[in-house]
Amino acid sequence: MNLVQRVEHWGDTHHPQWLDIVRILLGVFLCYKGIDFLMNMGTMLALITNRMSFGSFSSMLMSNYIAFAHILGGILLIMGVLTRFACLLQIPILIGAIFFVNNDLYRPFSAVLLPVVTLLLLILFLIVGNGKFQMLSFKEKG
């Protein structure tokens, strides 16, 4: 067994039930943020353009990727389908949110706590997977 298969096997055998509720809540939160980004696309475009030196097409492409990856990843996490893939879609976005968007890391009440917690949860679900409460298990029983 290679390393990826061993991590996947360990994640499948050591997955508590309450972690499924956390996964679903994380998916709901990511869907909410994706819809919020779509509703405030102008603000997000201005933030991306001011923080990074991209062209207008690249900024528009990046902002649309962020919004739709949050929505798609959130739906996949809620359903418990392709959980590791959904986490891989989200992790680069959150790393960018931590290091590029939140540059006030050393202030006492920085807004960096929420992206850090979300990133840690995504890394956790990248390792442990989707768990027993998932859409595919309902298909097998039905």
Side-chain angles (χ1 to χ4, degrees), residues 46-111:
L47 184 67
I48 290 173
T49 305
N50 289 338
R51 300 283 182 190
M52 295 168 234
S53 59
F54 290 130
S56 60
F57 178 74
S58 298
S59 298
M60 180 64 85
L61 189 67
M62 185 179 295
S63 62
N64 282 317
Y65 168 73
I66 291 169
F68 289 114
H70 275 340
I71 293 171
L72 176 68
I75 290 171
L76 291 175
L77 283 171
I78 290 169
M79 292 189 318
V81 179
L82 298 173
T83 302
R84 291 182 175 104
F85 173 72
C87 292
L88 283 175
L89 284 177
Q90 305 297 318
I91 288 174
I93 297 170
L94 284 154
I95 290 172
I98 292 169
F99 290 111
F100 296 117
V101 176
N102 294 316
N103 59 358
D104 55 349
L105 295 175
Y106 301 109
R107 293 179 51 198
F109 299 107
S110 175

Side-chain angles (χ1 to χ4, degrees), residues 3-57:
L3 179 65
V4 175
Q5 290 171 337
R6 283 189 287 171
V7 168
E8 186 175 330
H9 177 69
W10 183 89
D12 290 340
T13 57
H14 294 86
H15 193 90
Q17 296 290 347
W18 60 269
L19 212 52
D20 289 340
I21 296 170
V22 175
R23 185 199 74 228
I24 291 168
L25 291 175
L26 178 64
V28 169
F29 174 72
L30 287 173
C31 279
Y32 166 75
K33 290 305 285 182
I35 293 169
D36 187 39
F37 286 152
L38 280 179
M39 300 297 278
N40 300 310
M41 185 66 74
T43 306
M44 190 166 70
L45 270 172
L47 184 67
I48 290 173
T49 305
N50 289 338
R51 300 283 182 190
M52 295 168 234
S53 59
F54 290 130
S56 60
F57 178 74

